[in-house]
Amino acid sequence: DPSLRRDPEVVMAAVRRDVFSLQAAADDLRSQEDFMIEAICEEPMAFLFAAEKLQQDRDFVVRAVKQNMRVLRYVGKLQKDPVVMSAATNSFGSAMHLAWEDEEALAIRAL
């Protein structure tokens, strides 16, 4: 049924099982920022299936990087953009801070 290719819930369920299912998603769905950010949160490779307009949009890339820093490997030349790198650095710093807090809590419990 072609209408399933436009159904965000159906497509997202498919993405959770196999990111390559985005290839069959309707173009208008792959152009929706919020939908693609959700897909990128599930699997950073989803970035490769976003509409080209989104892939070249620095604001979208920054938003994607903030949600899933692993998307950096897929963003091409925007990987060197200072704003994108700043978002990645801030995301990495936050992740490291959370990891440190978890590690600290484990050490305290061990005592």
Side-chain angles (χ1 to χ4, degrees):
D1 182 1
S3 68
L4 295 177
R5 295 172 4 110
R6 287 187 164 76
D7 186 320
E9 290 179 21
V10 170
V11 174
M12 191 57 64
V15 168
R16 287 184 180 109
R17 297 188 74 193
D18 182 4
V19 69
F20 291 98
S21 62
L22 272 171
Q23 290 175 315
D27 291 341
D28 60 322
L29 199 55
R30 292 185 301 119
S31 295
Q32 293 178 16
E33 285 191 37
D34 290 339
F35 176 81
M36 289 308 302
I37 290 294
E38 184 179 347
I40 288 165
C41 286
E42 294 293 328
E43 168 56 59
M45 188 185 285
F47 180 85
L48 296 175
F49 303 105
E52 190 173 330
K53 176 186 82 167
L54 291 179
Q55 289 183 23
Q56 296 174 1
D57 181 335
R58 183 196 323 168
D59 292 335
F60 174 76
V61 172
V62 166
R63 193 172 161 208
V65 167
K66 286 180 178 179
Q67 293 298 314
N68 190 334
M69 194 176 80
R70 295 181 342 195
V71 80
L72 268 177
R73 72 175 58 164
Y74 304 110
V75 301
K77 64 184 177 186
L78 281 173
Q79 189 178 57
K80 296 179 181 178
D81 184 285
V83 175
V84 172
M85 288 311 296
S86 176
T89 303
N90 291 340
S91 294
F92 181 72
S94 297
M96 290 304 293
H97 180 73
L98 290 174
W100 177 256
E101 286 179 352
D102 288 347
E103 196 67 27
E104 193 175 76
L106 277 172
I108 290 170
R109 276 187 251 147
L111 297 175

